């Protein structure tokens, strides 16, 4: 306890002693005055200390009555009013203190939860942060966030007795895959709880982007949820819904961007690849290889976009060079090699493309030994996405028919990859790619046998 606390406590002891002295002396006015003064002194201490003056006054007053004989109506009325007033003030102050503590808890939960929500960049992380924020409020020991996975309700976040049902689908009675009304879905969720965990409950819809995203379901023993608590939980649902809605909008935008890039890649392919399918094959194989190597989805997305656009610069290559069936002369070789830089420059204004995508477009023709183009980068100086993609691109070029060559069989193409490992291609990615295609029963990279 702080020194000031010790001082106030000492004064309380002296004051209570004074109460009993005033009672012994029959000084009713002094007794009342001391009680009020002690109440004002004890108030800042909070807790049980606030009730010491009231209890001391009542005991001292009763002792005074027993020592001094019968009391008049005015004295009794005054004592009752004083005791009642001090009690009412104590109750009101305790209530205000509880409300203040609740507001501090809500504020802290919202501050912490808002930070977590802002940092989350996946639906799973948003739901996890939202459930943690609601749990920090301490309003209900059992809570569940129910979202829709391909139209089927599923527990995607949970605390308390709901935790054992995390990721469990909820199949509404009589309609196993439909999106239910909130009250019907809430009944299905509450049915997951054991009887001893059920009590007062509340269901709060989570909406975002103009449509329903899920439902928060709360259960607790004891008192029903107050209007203030409902308002607080509604605010939590709004925060979660806003973040989820924003995330869905971003995903839709990314999907639209990817569709546009895929269409552009297909259009480019029509100009350069009469047989078709090259872009689809190299995109699919590159993504599978990156995931096999443990790349996170953000890097995989950058790789995928670069694979779609890797030959964008060929738009600027004249047909006489692009479709020439014989060997290229020095000038024609210079023209064809310029496509990687041209593609890179064309993409500079697409600010949603990450650096790894642009690096792949610019450097996918660099060689491990430094003899490639356009910058003659060597070894690990070549961007990683470009090194990985180059292996897939070379393999597909070998196993695909071109105007100037027939398609190679798979075994010959694999042998050529091993020959070029450490010369043209990153040996690490060559071995990883060969392991992948040998393990697959089928793939999209034209595994010619």
């Amino acid at each position: 306890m702080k020194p000031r606390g010790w001082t106030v406590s000492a004064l309380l002891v002296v004051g209570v002693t004074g109460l009993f002295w005033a009672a012994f002396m029959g000084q009713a006015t002094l007794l009342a005055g001391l009680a009020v003064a002690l109440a004002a002194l004890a108030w800042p201490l909070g807790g049980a200390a606030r009730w010491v003056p009231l209890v001391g006054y009542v005991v001292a007053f009763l002792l005074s009555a027993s020592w001094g004989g019968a009391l008049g109506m005015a004295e009794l009325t005054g004592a009752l009013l004083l005791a009642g007033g001090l009690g009412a003030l104590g109750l009101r102050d305790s209530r205000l203190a509880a409300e203040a503590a609740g507001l501090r808890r809500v504020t802290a939960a919202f501050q912490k939860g808002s930070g977590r929500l802002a940092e989350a960049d996946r639906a799973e992380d948003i739901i996890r942060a939202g459930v943690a924020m609601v749990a920090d409020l301490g309003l209900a020991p059992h809570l569940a966030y129910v979202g829709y996975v391909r139209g089927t309700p599923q527990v995607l976040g949970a605390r308390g007795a709901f935790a054992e049902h995390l990721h469990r689908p909820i199949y509404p009675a009589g309609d196993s895959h439909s999106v239910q009304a909130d009250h019907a879905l809430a009944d299905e969720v509450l049915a997951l709880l054991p009887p001893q965990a059920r009590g007062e409950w509340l269901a709060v819809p989570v909406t975002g982007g103009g449509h329903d995203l899920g439902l928060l379901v709360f259960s607790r023993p004891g008192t029903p949820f107050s209007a203030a608590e409902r308002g607080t939980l509604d605010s939590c649902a709004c925060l979660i819904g806003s973040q989820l809605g924003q995330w869905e909008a971003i995903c839709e935008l990314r999907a639209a961007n990817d569709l546009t890039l895929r269409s552009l890649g297909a259009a480019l392919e029509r100009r350069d690849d009469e047989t078709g399918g090259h872009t689809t094959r190299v995109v699919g194989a590159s993504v599978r290889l990156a995931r096999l190597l443990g790349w996170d989805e953000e890097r995989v997305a950058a790789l995928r976009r670069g694979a779609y656009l890797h030959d964008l610069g060929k738009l600027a290559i004249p047909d006489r060079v692009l479709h020439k069936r014989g060997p290229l002369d020095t000038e024609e070789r210079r023209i064809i090699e310029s496509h990687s830089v041209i593609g890179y420059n064309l993409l500079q204004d697409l600010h949603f493309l990450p650096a790894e995508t642009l690096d792949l477009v610019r450097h996918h023709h660099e060689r491990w030994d430094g003899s490639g183009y356009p910058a003659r980068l060597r070894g690990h100086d070549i961007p990683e996405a470009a090194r990985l993609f180059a292996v897939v691109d070379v393999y597909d070029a070998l196993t695909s028919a071109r105007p100037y060559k027939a398609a190679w069989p798979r075994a010959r193409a694999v042998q050529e990859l091993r020959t070029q490992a450490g010369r043209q291609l990153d040996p690490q990615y060559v071995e990883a790619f060969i392991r992948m295609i040998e393990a697959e029963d089928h793939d999209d990279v034209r595994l010619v046998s």
Side-chain angles (χ1 to χ4, degrees), residues 237-273:
C238 285
L239 278 175
I240 298 169
S242 175
Q243 198 71 11
L244 281 173
Q246 184 180 31
W247 177 81
E248 284 197 350
I250 291 172
C251 287
E252 290 174 1
L253 180 60
R254 287 175 176 170
N257 288 338
D258 279 349
L259 181 60
T260 300
L261 299 180
R262 187 183 309 168
S263 300
L264 180 57
L268 293 169
E269 184 179 276
R270 291 296 178 183
R271 183 163 185 261
D272 186 34
D273 182 8

Side-chain angles (χ1 to χ4, degrees), residues 281-332:
R281 293 192 300 271
V282 295
V283 168
S286 298
V287 167
R288 293 200 308 277
L289 180 57
R291 286 178 174 154
L292 184 67
L293 293 170
W295 287 24
D296 63 48
E297 285 304 308
E298 186 174 348
R299 294 183 69 199
V300 170
L303 172 70
R304 181 172 59 246
R305 292 176 173 185
Y308 284 139
L309 299 170
H310 69 282
D311 278 339
L312 177 65
K314 288 184 178 179
L315 285 171
I317 304 302
D319 286 347
R320 64 178 176 81
V321 176
L322 190 63
H323 299 301
K324 185 176 180 180
R325 293 184 177 272
L328 300 177
D329 61 29
T330 303
E331 178 59 19
E332 289 168 338

